[in-house]
Amino acid sequence: MKLVRKDIEKDNAGQVTLVPEEPEDMWHTYNLVQVGDSLRASTIRKVQTESSTGSVGSNRVRTTLTLCVEAIDFDSQACQLRVKGTNIQENEYVKMGAYHTIELEPNRQFTLAKKQWDSVVLERIEQACDPAWSADVAAVVMQEGLAHVCLVTPSMTLTRAKVEVNIPRKRKGNCAQHDRALERFYEQVVQAIQRHINFDVVKCVLVASPGFVREQFCDYMFQQAVKTDNKVLLENRSKFLQVHASSGHKYSLKEALCDPTVASRLSDTKAAGEVKALDDFYKMLQHEPDRAFYGLKQVERANEALAIDTLLISDELFRHQDVATRSRYVRLVDSVKDNAGTVRIFSSLHVSGEQLGQLTGVAALLRFPVPELSDQEDDSSSEED
């Protein structure tokens, strides 16, 4: 997704102009557009014309319309998005108040205006427009003295850093210069990894090289991580995957990605994190039910007790037609983040999102047991009876 323009006032009213560039962007757009918004985009309209002789004909013209959104339809198989609404701006072909359906198309910009841009919608725009957020695979392609640190998105490979160090040849009886230069090279690659790879997003880091360079580098990196107590690298050690590549040039990354073992490891990496979080929730529900809550009321009460460690919530809830209900979910997300909790927004198109939907679409893993919440819920339900 490309952000062309963003005009949002202090009261959170305003508009953004975006260009969807790939099919996945249509899904993001579906989650941005809500009933009551105004949408301006290029569209095709069938127009009736009358000639001087009185004969009536019709032809299709391309025009730009601004609609007040009344209905949104998303075809997940074809990744097509249709938005129906009434025209709210003067147009030579379409009367004010007339109905029209705009089909949003890839590589055609649209402008979306809202009276209230909430934090969840703004964060989705940020993630959709920042390649680093969609790049859940990173790669380090290297050979002695040359390394490329890359982010791999569904549609492109971005080179974030290039490291070049002159490595002297080994000489008989004197390898000190070679070893020092190699250590300096490895250290610069480690720094580039820490600077450019966001381990909160990246699920897998490929380390590709000819020969034994990758093994030697990984040994060096984790030995240094232990010495310096680098928790980020140590906690994410399992994400590093060593594979063969013919050189340290960027084009060798293709060989690594085509490796069958790599392909199976990388399959659906984006959903893997959500699957694990949901799995953790089910395990907690089974073994420590006082630390696993689901249902909006229960989760809100857990949040009031500052007990939420991880909030699991379906993006479907943010498409709720009722503004007050949607705002309630947004407030919950903001509150959990303010209290240093982790928020995982599940895609309802993934299997994990469907499973979460069966649990009301919102669940939470708690920092500590809160058994009295269950008792309160029982008391309130018995009072209702």
Side-chain angles (χ1 to χ4, degrees):
M1 187 89 81
K2 183 181 176 185
L3 179 64
V4 178
R5 189 179 175 88
K6 184 178 177 183
D7 297 311
I8 296 177
E9 305 297 331
K10 287 181 181 177
D11 61 355
N12 283 338
Q15 61 183 34
V16 295
T17 301
L18 299 161
V19 180
E21 295 177 315
E22 53 190 74
E24 194 177 344
D25 291 338
M26 288 303 179
W27 173 247
H28 288 304
T29 306
Y30 175 52
N31 284 283
L32 295 176
V33 181
Q34 293 161 349
V35 172
D37 295 348
S38 77
L39 178 75
R40 182 174 176 80
S42 175
T43 185
I44 302 289
R45 179 79 174 185
K46 196 174 182 180
V47 178
Q48 283 196 336
T49 55
E50 188 174 338
S51 67
S52 54
T53 58
S55 60
V56 177
S58 66
N59 61 327
R60 292 156 67 85
V61 295
R62 182 168 284 281
T63 183
T64 301
L65 292 180
T66 305
L67 303 183
C68 176
V69 178
E70 290 192 9
I72 307 140
D73 177 49
F74 180 70
D75 182 344
S76 59
Q77 298 303 312
C79 281
Q80 290 180 332
L81 182 62
R82 296 179 187 86
V83 181
K84 181 183 177 184
T86 52
N87 183 34
I88 56 172
Q89 229 174 58
E90 287 289 347
N91 184 281
E92 61 175 306
Y93 302 112
V94 186
K95 293 177 183 177
M96 290 280 285
Y99 277 93
H100 185 79
T101 299
I102 291 177
E103 185 172 314
L104 292 176
E105 304 169 28
N107 301 311
R108 281 193 184 275
Q109 75 174 38
F110 65 88
T111 299
L112 182 65
K114 291 177 182 283
K115 292 173 183 173
Q116 179 76 27
W117 288 87
D118 61 53
S119 60
V120 172
V121 174
L122 290 172
E123 188 175 335
R124 185 174 277 274
I125 290 177
E126 187 182 321
Q127 291 178 11
C129 296
D130 182 1
W133 277 99
S134 60
D136 51 3
V137 178
V140 182
V141 193
M142 63 194 309
Q143 64 189 48
E144 282 197 1
L146 175 66
H148 289 83
V149 178
C150 307
L151 295 177
V152 184
T153 75
S155 58
M156 66 184 99
T157 301
L158 303 165
T159 302
R160 283 296 189 225
K162 182 180 179 181
V163 179
E164 280 187 288
V165 172
N166 185 33
I167 311 285
R169 288 185 179 183
K170 284 185 179 179
R171 297 192 179 182
K172 195 174 182 180
N174 183 13
C175 299
Q177 272 190 313
H178 173 273
D179 292 347
R180 278 199 303 270
L182 200 58
E183 192 171 313
R184 193 167 69 249
F185 168 62
Y186 287 161
E187 181 55 36
Q188 288 184 27
V189 177
V190 172
Q191 287 175 8
I193 287 173
Q194 291 180 288
R195 192 178 304 118
H196 297 288
I197 295 178
N198 180 354
F199 285 100
D200 291 335
V201 178
V202 168
K203 307 293 191 300
C204 182
V205 183
L206 301 179
V207 182
S209 78
F212 298 101
V213 176
R214 56 188 179 276
E215 287 94 338
Q216 291 166 359
F217 168 70
C218 286
D219 288 345
Y220 170 85
M221 176 168 59
F222 293 116
Q223 283 170 10
Q224 291 300 311
V226 171
K227 283 181 188 175
T228 58
D229 192 27
N230 188 322
K231 290 181 180 176
V232 174
L233 287 177
L234 292 173
E235 286 172 4
N236 291 283
R237 185 170 188 162
S238 61
K239 292 182 180 179
F240 285 82
L241 180 64
Q242 297 179 28
V243 290
H244 172 78
S246 57
S247 76
H249 293 280
K250 184 181 168 183
Y251 62 78
S252 296
L253 178 59
K254 189 178 178 184
E255 302 166 25
L257 292 171
C258 291
D259 188 306
T261 56
V262 175
S264 62
R265 173 77 181 266
L266 300 186
S267 62
D268 209 11
T269 47
K270 199 168 279 185
E274 279 78 359
V275 170
K276 185 183 181 302
L278 197 60
D279 189 45
D280 290 345
F281 174 80
Y282 280 122
K283 284 178 183 172
M284 190 74 78
L285 191 63
Q286 188 177 0
H287 300 296
E288 291 185 74
D290 290 338
R291 288 183 58 199
F293 279 52
Y294 63 92
L296 183 57
K297 283 186 180 178
Q298 284 277 56
V299 171
E300 281 180 328
R301 288 183 185 176
N303 184 48
E304 286 167 15
L306 306 182
I308 296 180
D309 181 48
T310 306
L311 176 70
L312 318 179
I313 188 163
S314 170
D315 59 11
E316 198 168 17
L317 300 177
F318 301 113
R319 296 196 295 274
H320 203 286
Q321 298 292 331
D322 181 49
V323 176
T325 306
R326 191 167 67 237
S327 300
R328 193 173 167 187
Y329 290 120
V330 172
R331 283 197 302 273
L332 176 63
V333 167
D334 290 344
S335 179
V336 171
K337 286 181 179 176
D338 290 343
N339 296 325
T342 302
V343 176
R344 284 192 170 276
I345 298 178
F346 283 57
S347 169
S348 53
L349 281 186
H350 280 307
V351 176
S352 55
E354 290 175 8
Q355 286 181 315
L356 184 61
Q358 292 166 6
L359 290 171
T360 72
V362 59
L365 286 156
L366 309 191
R367 296 187 174 104
F368 46 83
V370 193
E372 63 270 18
L373 288 189
S374 303
D375 301 337
Q376 286 175 7
E377 190 71 18
D378 292 341
D379 294 342
S380 62
S381 59
S382 59
E383 284 170 18
E384 287 170 11
D385 296 339

